[in-house]
């Protein structure tokens, strides 16, 4: 017999409870695929960098009409009757005599509330998860010289900070001069400046908006203008490791100013350079110069948290397949109805990120105010 649940829950746990598996389908169609909403939404709420910010944003979507607020008012009661606003601190209990199981069932009987959860999840799937894994923007001919100059400066600053041997993989850059005697390295390659938050964020307003909600603070000044090419947003990696980092096979965790390598898929065959490292191995950036900023702890941890969401939601492999289809579409290797669907999905994703862009080294726009909290109320009455 299932135990009846009347317990108090935070706003985040309330939403996770509503998203628990049941017979009511929650899904959206994208790119010839039906995408299950529950594992993605639950992973965002469980593994997101700022779980409360994400929960507040979903709650805002679920309370954007009087009709939806009225349904929720009948299902939920704030734990603290003195609280006017729903918050992670106050949380909710089911309105008696309902249990949490009945709250979930009633919530999912509302087409409007279901649509709120689906649209919220779809937005983060396209604007955050898929866009972060997608190849970075290729500059047009008119701005290519500026972009190349910026990338060269970005890479040079990383060499100034970490030297000519990558911390991850111990790969020596060629054709740079040999490192000082006693420096350990195992192979050589042309090292690249890898962006922690991809360069495409500088021209993708929806990605920056999703990142700000995911991080619980504005990332506008960290991902636009000259800041996108700041060494605090960079790592020095060989091409193979750069690709693995961009596809979230590993990340870097920073706690108390200590950086550690985190392998997100330790059971799969990783590139040889990554296999040289133990999971949670400490990384010491700035071995050549402490004047050049080290990797931003915020950006490293946000990138790692996105990797956890991709892993725990099982969205990683699906997005890889979508990106492979897009690559074949761009090369003209698809045809028929599949070509039409692939092209339509690809066009939608590109249009979502379409915004006037500037690839110069000018300063980015002023930072937006920290995201305001939801002001929809569910009273205790």
């Amino acid at each position: 017999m299932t135990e009846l649940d009347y317990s108090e829950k935070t706003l985040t746990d309330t939403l996770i409870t509503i998203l628990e598996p049941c017979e009511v389908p929650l899904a959206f169609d994208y790119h010839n695929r039906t995408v299950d909403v529950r594992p993605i939404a639950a992973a965002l709420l469980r593994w997101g960098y700022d779980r409360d910010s994400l929960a507040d944003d979903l709650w805002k979507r679920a309370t954007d009409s009087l009709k939806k607020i009225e349904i929720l008012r009948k299902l939920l009661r704030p734990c603290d009757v003195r609280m006017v606003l729903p918050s992670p601190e106050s949380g909710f209990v089911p309105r008696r005599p309902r249990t949490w199981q009945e709250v979930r069932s009633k919530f999912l009987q509302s087409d409007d509330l279901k649509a709120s959860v689906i649209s919220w999840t779809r937005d983060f799937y396209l604007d955050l998860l898929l866009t972060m894994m997608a190849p970075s923007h290729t500059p047009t001919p008119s701005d290519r010289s500026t972009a190349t100059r910026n990338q060269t400066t970005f890479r040079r600053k990383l060499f100034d900070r970490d030297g000519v041997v990558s911390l991850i993989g111990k790969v020596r850059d060629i054709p740079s001069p040999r490192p000082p005697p006693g420096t350990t390295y195992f192979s050589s390659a042309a090292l690249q400046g890898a962006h922690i938050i991809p360069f495409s964020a500088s021209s993708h307003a929806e990605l920056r908006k999703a990142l700000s909600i995911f991080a619980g603070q504005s990332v506008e000044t960290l991902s636009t203008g000259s800041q996108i090419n700041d060494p605090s947003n960079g790592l020095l990696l060989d091409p193979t490791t750069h690709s693995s980092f961009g596809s979230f096979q590993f990340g870097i965790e920073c706690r108390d100013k200590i950086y550690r390598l985190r392998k997100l898929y330790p059971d799969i065959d990783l590139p040889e350079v990554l296999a040289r490292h133990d999971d949670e191995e400490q990384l010491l950036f700035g071995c050549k110069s402490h004047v050049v900023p080290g990797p931003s702890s915020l950006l490293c941890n946000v990138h790692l948290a996105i990797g956890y969401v991709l892993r725990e939601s099982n969205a990683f492999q699906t997005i890889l397949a979508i990106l492979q289809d897009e690559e074949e579409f761009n090369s003209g290797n698809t045809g028929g109805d599949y070509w039409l669907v692939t092209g339509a999905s690809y066009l939608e994703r590109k249009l979502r990120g379409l915004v006037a862009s500037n690839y110069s080294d000018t300063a980015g726009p002023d930072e937006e105010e920290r995201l305001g909290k939801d002001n929809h109320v569910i009273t205790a009455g």
Side-chain angles (χ1 to χ4, degrees):
M1 181 176 178
T2 303
E3 184 177 351
L4 300 180
D5 186 4
Y6 302 99
S7 62
E8 297 181 3
K9 295 185 185 295
T10 65
L11 174 58
T12 303
D13 288 337
T14 293
L15 295 170
I16 290 173
T17 298
I18 289 170
L19 290 166
E20 288 177 355
C22 70
E23 68 280 358
V24 180
L26 281 177
F28 61 86
D29 292 329
Y30 181 77
H31 199 91
N32 285 305
R33 291 169 174 82
T34 298
V35 181
D36 189 356
V37 161
R38 284 189 175 88
I40 298 169
L44 284 164
L45 294 170
R46 287 192 173 106
W47 294 91
Y49 181 81
D50 191 321
R51 300 169 68 237
D52 293 343
S53 174
L54 287 159
D56 286 342
D57 192 64
L58 175 52
W59 182 254
K60 186 183 296 184
R61 192 77 63 96
T63 55
D64 60 3
S65 74
L66 292 175
K67 180 180 179 182
K68 288 187 277 190
I69 292 173
E70 181 61 23
I71 295 171
L72 291 169
R73 191 191 70 80
K74 293 177 181 178
L75 299 178
L76 300 170
R77 179 175 64 82
C79 297
D80 187 343
V81 296
R82 297 168 299 178
M83 296 294 294
V84 177
L85 299 178
S87 70
E89 290 75 22
S90 65
F92 295 103
V93 292
R95 284 197 184 273
R96 294 299 184 102
R98 292 187 174 89
T99 64
W100 278 112
Q101 292 85 348
E102 291 169 324
V103 168
R104 178 172 61 249
S105 177
K106 291 291 185 181
F107 184 102
L108 296 175
Q109 287 177 20
S110 166
D111 290 338
D112 291 334
L113 289 173
K114 283 196 301 182
S116 296
V117 175
I118 292 170
S119 66
W120 181 84
T121 306
R122 191 178 192 274
D123 286 348
F124 274 93
Y125 185 82
L126 296 184
D127 296 331
L128 181 70
L129 303 181
L130 202 160
T131 304
M132 283 290 290
M133 283 189 64
S136 206
H137 167 81
T138 301
T140 60
S142 61
D143 55 44
R144 187 167 292 145
S145 60
T146 300
T148 301
R149 184 177 66 251
N150 292 347
Q151 177 65 16
T152 300
T153 303
F154 175 60
R155 185 168 171 263
R156 185 174 62 248
K157 290 178 180 178
L158 297 176
F159 280 128
D160 290 342
R161 184 185 71 195
D162 298 326
V164 297
V165 175
S166 64
L167 268 71
I168 301 173
K170 298 297 182 183
V171 178
R172 179 180 74 88
D173 180 63
I174 51 174
S176 293
R178 286 186 175 276
T183 303
T184 301
Y185 62 91
F186 300 101
S187 57
S188 300
L191 297 181
Q192 300 174 343
H195 291 81
I196 301 170
I197 299 302
F199 181 78
S200 59
S202 63
S203 61
H204 198 305
E206 291 303 312
L207 171 56
R208 297 196 303 273
K209 176 183 175 183
L211 279 168
S212 295
I213 297 168
F214 188 86
Q217 56 191 284
S218 175
V219 299
E220 282 290 326
T221 57
L222 299 176
S223 54
T224 53
S226 61
Q227 286 300 112
I228 195 70
N229 286 320
D230 190 82
S232 62
N233 187 37
L235 304 171
L236 202 57
L237 301 174
D238 68 274
T240 301
T241 310
H242 190 172
S243 176
S244 296
F245 183 73
S247 60
F248 292 88
Q249 293 183 32
F250 76 96
I252 296 173
E253 181 181 59
C254 183
R255 296 284 183 266
D256 300 322
K257 299 182 180 180
I258 296 175
Y259 299 91
R260 297 188 184 279
L261 180 76
R262 297 305 301 263
K263 297 180 181 180
L264 291 168
Y265 300 90
D267 296 332
I268 68 172
D269 291 331
L270 295 172
E272 181 183 355
V273 290
L274 281 174
R276 295 169 185 162
H277 296 274
D278 296 326
D279 189 31
E280 300 189 39
E281 183 176 324
Q282 187 172 342
L283 303 170
L284 300 175
F285 293 96
C287 61
K288 184 177 179 182
S289 172
H290 292 289
V291 176
V292 181
S296 162
S297 59
L298 171 65
L299 299 184
C300 285
N301 291 333
V302 165
H303 179 277
L304 180 63
I306 292 171
Y308 284 135
V309 171
L310 287 164
R311 184 186 70 183
E312 297 301 319
S313 65
N314 293 316
F316 175 77
Q317 293 295 343
T318 302
I319 291 177
L320 280 181
I322 289 173
L323 294 175
Q324 179 62 39
D325 286 349
E326 289 185 357
E327 185 176 335
E328 293 183 5
F329 167 77
N330 284 328
S331 63
N333 293 331
T334 55
D337 292 342
Y338 195 81
W339 183 91
L340 292 174
V341 174
T342 301
S345 300
Y346 178 71
L347 180 61
E348 178 195 358
R349 184 168 71 80
K350 288 298 183 181
L351 288 174
R352 292 174 76 93
L354 190 62
V355 65
S357 58
N358 182 357
Y359 295 100
S360 69
D361 272 336
T362 56
D366 292 338
E367 182 175 1
E368 294 177 352
E369 294 296 324
R370 184 180 173 86
L371 295 167
K373 300 299 184 181
D374 172 40
N375 61 357
H376 295 299
V377 301
I378 292 184
T379 61

